[in-house]
Amino acid sequence: MILGLETSCDETAAALITADGEILANVVSSQAELHARYGGVVPEVASRRHLELVTPVIREALVEAKTELDDVELVGVTTGPGLIGALLVGVAAAKAIAWARRLPLASVDHLHGHVASLYLEPHPLEPPFLCLLASGGHTLLLDVQERGRAPRTLGTTIDDAAGEAFDKGARLLGLGYPGGAEIDRIAQQGDPEAFDFPIAKVPGLDFSFSGVKTALLYAVRKLDPAELERQRANLAASYQRAIVRALVERTQQAAAEIGATHVAVVGGVAANSELRASLPGAALAPLALCTDNAAMIASAARYVGAIPYPGYLGLDAYASIA
Ligand code: KG4
Ligand code: ZN
């Protein structure tokens, strides 16, 4: 059995899966409410909360899986990219558990984790496939050839990530944090054609979301509070439509360019209902595995080559990919 831990941002998560990828427990404690009043994640607040939550969350996962630490054979933990202080809490906890039981430890890249959300039962996906990874921190088009090999990056965002664009847009619309799910919800009552927001034309297979965000800002500024109230659903629907179109167009373009026959979508933004409906035939990460969780980290831990006891004691966390 594999224990996965994830603390890279504002979710404290622990999961237990079998070597075959069956999820026995997947506990996610979101700190969203804690950070909501600041309109975004406050790194120092996140670290402290991870510290309080990590042990109870692991305990809850063990109870849910009806198992004990004695049955764990491998510990997988996110070592980056993410908030460094937040990551360190998970890494320290993973090291302590692995070291105390002389277990191997797998250092998992958070982005590899998102991709590995597709490798879990009951519907595991087999590479090769083109993967759109859209989250709060990243927007990537990946050419995934093998589960254990780092994918080739075909495109990325040159400014904001797609999830970041949702979150910033939500803030402009006076919606709560995190904003993606809020925009998704409110957009259901709006007209996506009400406003014409641009889709950035950047060269190659890259993305850009700063223009659409600025367009929303200008549209909001033109409205008085009562009009904004009336137009909020229309603005949300039109804004969501622009982001989803950009994601879908680039994904289809990338698939055509590399001749990919299978397309997959992962990451927090993969939870978006319009995006899910706009890519028929694509493999979509299950909703519970789109936003940050530890089952995907445990899943990736199977493919990275675990570090044997006690070689991981000097293992460090890293904030960014470069
Ligand atoms: O993968 P994730 O949990 O964390 C990162 O690795 O960044 O992604 C979080 C992002 C947030 O920006 C959030 O607004 C967005 O995913 N998100 C959504 C939806 N649910 C979460 N965006 C659009 N529609 C949704 N339903
Ligand atoms: Zn993530």
Side-chain angles (χ1 to χ4, degrees):
M1 192 159 41
I2 304 162
L3 170 66
L5 296 180
E6 153 65 39
T7 63
S8 70
C9 192
D10 63 340
E11 261 94 32
T12 316
L16 289 151
I17 70 165
T18 65
D20 296 334
E22 190 196 333
I23 301 173
L24 304 174
N26 187 23
V27 177
V28 180
S29 175
S30 173
Q31 308 177 5
E33 270 177 43
L34 185 66
H35 300 282
R37 64 177 150 142
Y38 306 107
V41 180
V42 184
E44 186 55 31
V45 173
S47 314
R48 285 163 193 265
R49 194 74 182 127
H50 281 306
L51 209 49
E52 291 165 1
L53 288 171
V54 71
T55 308
V57 163
I58 294 169
R59 241 184 228 132
E60 194 179 324
L62 289 166
V63 169
E64 201 179 302
K66 297 189 182 63
T67 188
E68 294 173 2
L69 279 180
D70 285 346
D71 296 322
V72 173
E73 292 148 310
L74 168 66
V75 181
V77 63
T78 310
T79 46
L83 303 171
I84 197 75
L87 287 160
L88 284 171
V89 176
V91 172
K95 279 182 190 174
I97 291 170
W99 182 76
R101 287 163 192 275
R102 305 188 169 232
L103 298 173
L105 187 146
S107 161
V108 176
D109 180 279
H110 184 78
L111 304 175
H112 185 204
H114 274 298
V115 177
S117 67
L118 298 163
Y119 304 150
L120 289 159
E121 293 289 339
H123 303 294
L125 188 68
E126 202 50 58
F129 55 85
L130 170 74
C131 188
L132 168 67
L133 191 170
S135 70
H138 298 87
T139 311
L140 294 164
L141 280 166
L142 302 169
D143 179 8
V144 182
Q145 289 295 330
E146 276 174 42
R147 288 186 178 185
R149 183 147 54 101
R152 186 162 60 102
T153 300
L154 304 168
T156 185
T157 179
I158 58 169
D159 40 56
D160 292 347
E164 199 179 352
F166 271 108
D167 294 336
K168 288 178 177 171
R171 212 191 300 192
L172 290 173
L173 292 172
L175 302 170
Y177 169 86
E182 280 295 293
I183 290 194
D184 195 349
R185 191 172 59 80
I186 284 183
Q188 320 268 347
Q189 290 123 43
D191 173 9
E193 306 294 335
F195 291 84
D196 188 21
F197 291 130
I199 300 175
K201 296 270 180 288
V202 279
L205 291 169
D206 286 338
F207 300 91
S208 166
F209 295 105
S210 66
V212 66
K213 181 189 64 190
T214 308
L216 176 64
L217 171 69
Y218 288 148
V220 167
R221 271 196 194 153
K222 274 193 217 146
L223 305 173
D224 64 41
E227 275 176 316
L228 176 60
E229 192 61 45
R230 269 198 306 277
Q231 292 290 346
R232 189 173 279 128
N234 288 339
L235 286 163
S238 305
Y239 186 68
Q240 173 173 287
R241 172 67 52 93
I243 295 174
V244 168
R245 271 213 187 128
L247 292 172
V248 169
E249 279 179 16
R250 274 285 133 103
T251 303
Q252 287 170 341
Q253 186 189 343
E257 279 186 23
I258 66 164
T261 44
H262 291 91
V263 172
V265 192
V266 301
V269 179
N272 185 266
S273 57
E274 185 170 354
L275 179 61
R276 294 179 86 82
S278 304
L279 281 167
L284 306 166
L287 274 183
L289 301 178
C290 288
T291 44
D292 289 348
N293 63 87
M296 69 185 196
I297 303 304
S299 177
R302 298 178 291 164
Y303 307 106
V304 296
I307 308 165
Y309 166 89
Y312 42 77
L313 288 177
L315 190 69
D316 230 336
Y318 54 97
S320 56
I321 318 175

